[in-house]
Amino acid sequence: MKGYHWLMTAGAAVLGTAALTEGIAAYFFRRTIIRQNAVTERTMKMSGTDWSIYGEKIKALKEPVLEQPHEDVFIQSKDGLKLHGTFFKKGNSKKVMIGFHGYTGKGMSDLLGVSNFYLAHGYSILLVDERAHGDSEGKYIGFGCLDREDAREWIRYVIEQIGEECEICLHGVSMGGATVLMASGLDLPEQVKAIVSDCAFTSAWDVFAHVLKTMYHIPALPILTAADQMLQKQAGYSLKQCNAAEEVKKANVPILFIHGNKDTFVPYRMCYELYHNCASLKDIMIVEGASHAESFYKEQERYEQKLDAFLKKAEIEN
């Protein structure tokens, strides 16, 4: 009889643990993957960057960009979503920067600052809203796994609009940085001449494991395993499916990797892994004292000098 009670108690504990795991995983999935529950303010707080110190600088950088003529443009994703972008056409320029924002951001917020550099160097600018962000459709956030195919559709759109002789640079920040790196492993059109990745993660699995451990003090396993099963069933992709650190091994487009060494949200060790794995022409810049997505604002002059030199090396004339 004692053995029976022990077995029942142990069984209840196992079932209770399994239920707790499923509950936490479901909460994580709803809060992180489903669009309406992913809150920008929460993401900014978790990122650890004090954006209040850059208020005036950001405003000064944005104003001249917003004064340029621009229009809303739309394409359809391969799975039928209506995707939105904002296109700043620079005269007859054949050079175009396609910008990809971070998690819970949008094109017209995360990349307006660095757009100043590209406009001054004669580029047209296309700032896209990734799926499930901004004015783009989608219920589930893609974390680069789904967005890299959308990136290829945006590239096709630019080629159609500007012509076969256009030269394209992909520039992404955070989740957008991971998106452009994941796209580097695809068979990209020859018009894509350069990729710039700022504070990208290696994979969604890796960055979530880091966040769970450092911010919530929860072990990644078995929570992520259960959440990943939900993701595959409902959103159609896996947290391990697209790994930027693996995709860059197939890259043939020059890539510039940028990261701040005080980034607590996406650890900068990931930048070194990405850089070392990259098979194409590459360069790297680590910004001392910069936290997540802060590198451009903390050292704008150095950032722009590095960007200018890299694009020249990648044979995009400035």
Side-chain angles (χ1 to χ4, degrees):
M1 185 63 69
K2 288 182 179 179
Y4 172 78
H5 284 303
W6 178 88
L7 184 62
M8 291 296 291
T9 301
V14 169
L15 290 174
T17 301
L20 179 61
T21 296
E22 286 294 313
I24 295 173
Y27 175 77
F28 171 81
F29 175 81
R30 291 193 303 270
R31 181 183 171 106
T32 307
I33 308 296
I34 298 178
R35 175 184 194 144
Q36 65 265 28
N37 299 326
V39 181
T40 303
E41 289 75 17
R42 185 172 67 234
T43 304
M44 292 179 69
K45 184 177 180 180
M46 290 174 64
S47 75
T49 304
D50 182 6
W51 290 110
S52 64
I53 63 176
Y54 297 113
E56 289 301 316
K57 184 173 187 176
I58 292 172
K59 182 181 178 182
L61 286 166
K62 284 184 175 182
E63 285 180 350
V65 178
L66 293 174
E67 289 172 358
Q68 302 300 314
H70 54 279
E71 62 175 332
D72 294 317
V73 296
F74 297 89
I75 62 170
Q76 189 174 63
S77 69
K78 293 177 73 173
D79 55 346
L81 298 178
K82 186 179 182 181
L83 304 178
H84 169 261
T86 307
F87 195 30
F88 296 76
K89 194 171 186 305
K90 186 81 170 180
N92 295 319
S93 175
K94 298 299 181 182
K95 299 181 297 184
V96 183
M97 183 274 275
I98 308 178
F100 296 83
H101 59 78
Y103 177 62
T104 71
K106 55 184 180 179
M108 289 290 281
S109 61
D110 290 14
L111 288 158
L112 278 178
V114 75
S115 292
N116 251 320
F117 167 87
Y118 285 100
L119 286 171
H121 287 74
Y123 284 75
S124 292
I125 307 295
L126 174 59
L127 303 180
V128 309
D129 290 339
E130 298 192 52
R131 60 172 55 216
H133 288 81
D135 292 325
S136 289
E137 293 180 343
K139 178 179 180 179
Y140 301 109
I141 295 173
F143 285 98
C145 296
L146 303 178
D147 310 275
R148 71 174 190 158
E149 291 291 346
D150 299 339
R152 185 150 58 176
E153 296 304 309
W154 281 116
I155 292 166
R156 288 174 179 152
Y157 171 83
V158 166
I159 295 171
E160 289 173 1
Q161 296 298 311
I162 305 299
E164 294 288 333
E165 66 276 25
C166 69
E167 296 179 302
I168 297 171
C169 172
L170 307 180
H171 190 128
V173 176
S174 192
M175 187 182 77
T179 295
V180 298
L181 293 182
M182 291 176 187
S184 75
L186 299 173
D187 184 19
L188 296 176
E190 63 180 8
Q191 288 83 358
V192 180
K193 303 297 185 182
I195 292 174
V196 181
S197 172
D198 188 334
C199 62
F201 49 78
T202 50
S203 72
W205 180 283
D206 291 344
V207 76
F208 287 146
H210 168 76
V211 169
L212 285 174
K213 179 181 179 180
T214 60
M215 297 186 183
Y216 294 100
H217 309 292
I218 299 174
L221 298 176
I223 303 300
L224 283 189
T225 301
D228 197 41
Q229 291 171 351
M230 298 174 192
L231 186 65
Q232 292 177 54
K233 183 177 180 180
Q234 297 185 47
Y237 74 96
S238 167
L239 294 174
K240 291 183 176 180
Q241 177 181 328
C242 289
N243 186 316
E246 292 299 316
E247 293 302 312
V248 295
K249 293 178 181 179
K250 299 178 281 185
N252 54 26
V253 176
I255 302 177
L256 171 61
F257 300 88
I258 301 170
H259 218 116
N261 74 342
K262 295 299 182 182
D263 193 336
T264 58
F265 196 37
V266 178
Y268 79 105
R269 60 174 169 77
M270 291 187 179
C271 187
Y272 285 113
E273 181 179 352
L274 292 163
Y275 175 77
H276 289 305
N277 283 5
C278 182
S280 62
L281 177 72
K282 59 189 176 182
D283 203 351
I284 188 170
M285 182 175 78
I286 302 298
V287 178
E288 295 290 327
S291 55
H292 191 64
E294 188 186 14
S295 294
F296 173 77
Y297 296 97
K298 192 168 190 66
E299 288 199 27
Q300 182 183 344
E301 183 177 356
R302 180 181 168 219
Y303 193 112
E304 292 183 344
Q305 288 174 350
K306 191 71 169 181
L307 196 52
D308 184 53
F310 171 73
L311 293 175
K312 288 176 178 175
K313 190 185 301 183
E315 298 182 346
I316 295 185
E317 294 296 327
N318 285 305

